[in-house]
């Protein structure tokens, strides 16, 4: 039986959220995002696009992106990659930012432009009752698009961040090694962050 729209199902109010459906034993069987143009103007059509999802593995994403940005892999013209764009939506936003921050530490001198926007997501939920119609939901979720570039970007562009200086990178590295402790950060949070980043450093090629 074809799934019904959440807004047309008499048993489910239009404001029903995916979390409420999950509590009602409905099972999400598909989730698709509507295609939308990059919110950053002037991007090349063949730019490396890293789509970060809720279930994506940060280690796998960074291994691929780092290899391309450090010149270990080259494009069809024989030149190393100059730009990469990361996008994520919903629960993938935080993971997208984490990927970008780690890549900036591994590949120095990167210019950055970040844009926040919204995307439309279509979800299909299956009823636990056999033969009962499913529900199709359309939601608007926050999303982020982050461009990293070895080449200079327009500093007047909203969301622009200049490359970190060597002193900032050195201080950050020492902080992660425990040589400098932030005055305002609890030691337990610092230890957890340090362990997470050290784990990535050990496991990375």
């Amino acid at each position: 039986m074809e799934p019904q729209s959440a807004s047309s199902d008499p048993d489910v109010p239009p404001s029903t959220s995916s979390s409420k459906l999950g509590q009602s034993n409905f099972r999400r069987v598909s989730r698709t995002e509507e295609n939308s143009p990059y919110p950053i103007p002037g991007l090349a059509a063949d730019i490396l696009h890293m789509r970060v999802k809720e279930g994506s593995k940060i280690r796998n994403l960074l291994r691929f992106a780092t290899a391309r940005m450090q010149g270990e892999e080259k494009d069809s013209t024989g030149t190393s990659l100059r730009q990469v764009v990361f996008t994520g939506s919903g629960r993938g936003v935080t993971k997208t930012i984490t990927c970008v921050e780690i890549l900036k530490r591994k590949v120095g001198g990167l210019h950055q432009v970040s844009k926040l926007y919204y995307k439309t997501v279509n979800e299909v939920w299956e009823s636990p009752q056999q033969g009962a119609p499913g529900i199709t939901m359309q939601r608007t979720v926050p999303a982020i698009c982050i461009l990293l570039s070895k080449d200079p970007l327009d500093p007047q562009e909203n969301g622009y961040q200049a490359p970190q200086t060597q002193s900032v990178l050195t201080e950050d590295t020492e902080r992660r090694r425990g040589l400098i402790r932030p005055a305002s950060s609890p030691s337990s949070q610092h230890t957890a962050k340090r362990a997470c980043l050290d784990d990535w450093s050990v496991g990375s090629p």
Side-chain angles (χ1 to χ4, degrees):
M1 185 175 294
E2 291 294 328
Q4 298 180 358
S5 169
S7 60
S8 62
D9 192 328
D11 296 327
V12 181
S15 60
T16 298
S17 65
S18 58
S19 61
K20 291 182 179 179
L21 286 174
Q23 295 172 3
S24 302
N25 295 324
F26 276 77
R27 183 173 66 91
R28 189 174 68 187
V29 294
S30 69
R31 181 182 187 274
T32 57
E33 297 181 358
E34 293 187 358
N35 292 329
S36 57
Y38 292 118
I40 301 175
L43 295 183
D46 59 348
I47 190 172
L48 176 62
H49 183 189
M50 304 298 295
R51 294 178 176 87
V52 184
K53 300 180 179 180
E54 180 181 347
S56 299
K57 300 295 184 182
I58 292 178
R59 189 182 303 274
N60 295 339
L61 292 168
L62 288 175
R63 181 177 291 115
F64 181 80
T66 302
R68 297 294 302 274
M69 291 297 286
Q70 288 183 336
E72 298 174 18
E73 297 183 21
K74 301 183 183 298
D75 57 22
S76 57
T77 64
T79 58
S80 60
L81 199 69
R82 306 296 300 175
Q83 294 184 335
V84 59
V85 63
F86 284 82
T87 60
S89 62
R91 296 182 180 178
V93 169
T94 301
K95 189 170 290 187
T96 302
I97 297 172
T98 300
C99 288
V100 167
E101 291 302 318
I102 296 177
L103 183 61
K104 285 163 61 178
R105 296 188 183 104
K106 295 177 71 68
V107 182
L110 295 178
H111 298 259
Q112 176 179 336
V113 170
S114 305
K115 299 288 186 180
L116 293 172
Y117 61 112
Y118 289 92
K119 297 194 73 171
T120 300
V121 175
N122 297 304
E123 296 179 342
V124 177
W125 291 77
E126 188 178 69
S127 172
Q129 299 179 359
Q130 186 175 5
I135 297 175
T136 298
M137 294 186 63
Q138 187 175 80
R139 299 192 297 126
T140 300
V141 298
I144 192 168
C145 179
I146 304 177
L147 169 66
L148 296 178
S149 174
K150 294 180 180 179
D151 301 318
L153 300 172
D154 183 4
Q156 302 302 317
E157 181 71 31
N158 289 334
Y160 172 80
Q161 293 183 35
Q164 290 180 319
T165 63
Q166 186 60 40
S167 61
V168 172
L169 292 173
T170 301
E171 181 178 337
D172 182 73
T173 300
E174 291 177 347
R175 180 179 292 114
R176 288 190 287 122
R177 291 175 179 173
L179 300 179
I180 299 177
R181 175 171 296 180
S184 60
S185 298
S187 59
S188 59
Q189 294 182 3
H190 172 68
T191 301
K193 177 182 178 182
R194 174 184 163 196
C196 178
L197 293 175
D198 286 347
D199 175 69
W200 164 253
S201 300
V202 171
S204 299

